[in-house]
Amino acid sequence: MNIAIDGPAGAGKSTIAKRIAKKLGYIYVDTGAMYRAMALYFIRLGVSADDSVSISSKCNDADITIEYRDGEQVVLLNGEDVTGMLRTEEVGNMASATSVNGDVRKKLVELQQKLAATADVVMDGRDIGTVVLPNAEVKIYLTASSKVRAKRRYDELVAKGETPDIDKIEADIIERDERDMNREISPLKQADDATLIDSSYMSIEEVVDAVTELIP
Ligand code: DC
């Protein structure tokens, strides 16, 4: 049994996917974290996001492994636990820019399909229902307006003691959506058989209930 959740940045995919996985005893697979680990690797090497030749060749030297410790996903980059370094704006923007590369995608999609073949998973990302798990039993396309998504991100950063600029956050979100939805390979789009959930005016519990109702 596999559940695919796709949607734009900040729609609440990981929050919902984690809750559903916990409720059902499934494994939560955060595919964005894999693209982020790869992006961190390129940042550390000083590779520029538009240097597709270096990205294609260097991605083969990045060994990305997923482990589960106390039910939480841990991402290893060449053996180093980088889980805590992935959720920055810099890494997110680099992940969006470098995930357009076909060699990066091929490598990570294989890893994702292997994980889903061995366990019941709730997997979130951009191309899960369309490309990675086209036969997933349940497919969700989770979205929310860019204003609401920016406000959620803003609140998260304020809670961490930062003083973010909400307009800049929204502009970044719109730019990231543009790139993720318009890239040539595996763009973000709703699978034909996915159910659309707009979480703009829904609580986390309401979204979890809506997803749960779709599970056979
Ligand atoms: O979900 P996230 O913000 O952690 O993802 C970071 C970037 O990785 C996102 O902007 C696009 C890319 N990504 C992708 O191309 N395919 C996926 N399945 C997951 C993420």
Side-chain angles (χ1 to χ4, degrees), residues 2 7 19 22 47 63 138 145 149 197 206:
N2 291 320
R19 296 271 186 117
K22 197 163 182 192
V47 172
D63 177 36
V138 178
S145 71
R149 289 185 282 136
I197 299 178
E206 284 171 333

Side-chain angles (χ1 to χ4, degrees), residues 1-206:
M1 176 81 182
N2 291 320
I3 300 176
I5 304 183
D6 290 301
K13 298 184 300 293
S14 65
T15 305
I16 301 305
K18 268 188 206 161
R19 296 271 186 117
I20 299 285
K22 197 163 182 192
K23 203 168 166 175
L24 301 176
Y26 288 13
I27 286 177
Y28 165 52
V29 183
D30 172 2
T31 64
M34 301 178 193
Y35 289 93
R36 284 170 183 264
M38 190 63 97
L40 178 65
Y41 181 70
F42 296 133
I43 291 171
R44 284 176 170 178
L45 283 181
V47 172
S48 145
D50 48 27
D51 182 356
S52 59
V53 173
S54 298
I55 289 173
S56 283
S57 70
K58 300 266 194 277
C59 75
N60 294 312
D61 304 332
D63 177 36
I64 293 174
T65 326
I66 300 299
E67 285 183 2
Y68 289 87
R69 297 186 192 153
D70 301 326
E72 292 286 323
Q73 175 175 300
V74 172
V75 186
L76 303 180
L77 171 60
N78 292 332
E80 175 193 354
D81 178 359
V82 294
T83 317
M85 298 170 208
L86 303 178
R87 301 223 61 88
T88 66
E89 297 305 304
E90 185 195 13
V91 173
N93 288 329
M94 186 66 166
S96 174
T98 53
S99 63
V100 304
N101 183 288
D103 296 303
V104 168
R105 301 205 71 83
K106 184 168 179 286
K107 179 168 173 146
L108 296 182
V109 167
E110 273 171 22
L111 176 60
Q112 292 153 14
Q113 289 174 333
K114 266 191 209 149
L115 283 169
T118 55
D120 293 327
V121 300
V122 183
M123 188 177 282
D124 76 359
R126 303 291 186 288
D127 58 342
I128 311 306
T130 50
V131 174
V132 181
L133 305 176
N135 298 321
E137 283 79 358
V138 178
K139 294 185 187 178
I140 314 288
Y141 189 85
L142 183 63
T143 189
S145 71
S146 58
K147 280 244 168 327
V148 167
R149 289 185 282 136
K151 177 72 168 64
R152 288 176 186 162
R153 184 72 188 132
Y154 173 85
D155 290 344
E156 247 173 58
L157 294 171
V158 169
K160 281 192 200 162
E162 295 179 30
T163 46
D165 172 348
I166 194 160
D167 294 331
K168 164 90 173 64
I169 295 176
E170 190 184 359
D172 275 355
I173 282 181
I174 291 170
E175 188 187 329
R176 186 115 74 92
D177 287 356
E178 270 291 307
R179 201 178 314 126
D180 293 348
M181 290 173 176
N182 295 306
R183 67 181 176 220
E184 214 167 297
I185 311 169
S186 310
L188 167 64
K189 65 169 188 215
Q190 184 180 342
D192 293 338
D193 51 353
T195 301
L196 174 71
I197 299 178
D198 184 333
S199 73
S200 299
Y201 304 104
M202 291 169 83
S203 67
I204 293 171
E205 277 65 36
E206 284 171 333

